Amino acid sequence: MLERRLTRRAAVVTAALVPGAVALTGCKDDAAAGSGTPGAVNGGPSSSQGPAEETPAVDPAVVAALGAAATQVTQLSQLYANTSRKFPALRAQLAAGAKYHASHLAKLKETEGVAAKAAKAVAVPASSVVALTTLARQEAIAAATNAAAAAKLSGAPARLLAEIAAAQTQLSTTLTPPKKKDKS
């Protein structure tokens, strides 16, 4: 079994993201709590408002943030698929990441108006080690972007982006090829 050590960089990134994710879990989404969640308009089956306001409207800022995340997740999914095709020996190692991204994309698309835009595909490098490094770097970039976007929102959209950022940070850490041991 391959033993993975927690690097200083991974610890710092996790320490930076976890408090924000924990703080976001305390947000309430229900309209009765008066949370003022961006993206949702009060009204629903239990509301006393008229039928014209029963359909929730989504804040354009929420749609833009979740749409950007959906585009990134789609691009990462394509990179995982292309890397798996080019390096069949990596398929088992990449399976979890591909599964997470499919799940995240489905959750992102649950919000009305969110769609992934066509994005430029990242080329798969010639070496499997460089391919893993590229995947790890792309995951880290996406994690930073999603964490920053989560900090600008509240409620369910913020928690979803924070969850995705945390998963991407974890994937980045696990995909980073181990460095050669120091000669002590």
Side-chain angles (χ1 to χ4, degrees), residues 13-98:
V13 168
T14 302
L17 290 177
V18 169
V22 170
L24 291 173
T25 60
C27 298
K28 296 193 184 273
D29 287 335
D30 56 335
S35 67
T37 301
V41 173
N42 293 340
S46 63
S47 175
S48 62
Q49 298 173 350
E53 293 189 35
E54 286 185 21
T55 305
V58 181
D59 183 352
V62 170
V63 172
L66 297 183
T71 299
Q72 281 181 331
V73 168
T74 299
Q75 185 178 17
L76 282 165
S77 293
Q78 291 170 347
L79 184 56
Y80 272 77
N82 293 342
T83 303
S84 291
R85 275 192 290 279
K86 189 167 185 174
F87 303 107
L90 296 178
R91 284 188 183 144
Q93 186 177 359
L94 300 178

Side-chain angles (χ1 to χ4, degrees), residues 105-153:
L105 188 59
K107 287 298 259 178
L108 288 164
K109 288 184 174 182
E110 287 178 4
T111 302
E112 183 183 332
V114 173
K117 295 180 180 151
K120 182 181 175 185
V122 176
V124 178
S127 142
S128 63
V129 172
V130 176
L132 284 175
T133 302
T134 300
L135 272 169
R137 185 174 52 247
Q138 293 297 321
E139 289 283 7
I141 291 168
T145 302
N146 288 326
K152 295 177 184 176
L153 301 175

Side-chain angles (χ1 to χ4, degrees), residues 152-180:
K152 295 177 184 176
L153 301 175
S154 66
R159 283 193 301 277
L160 177 57
L161 288 174
E163 175 186 316
I164 292 170
Q168 290 168 330
T169 299
Q170 180 182 16
L171 287 168
S172 174
T173 301
T174 59
L175 290 174
T176 301
K179 305 224 187 257
K180 293 181 182 178

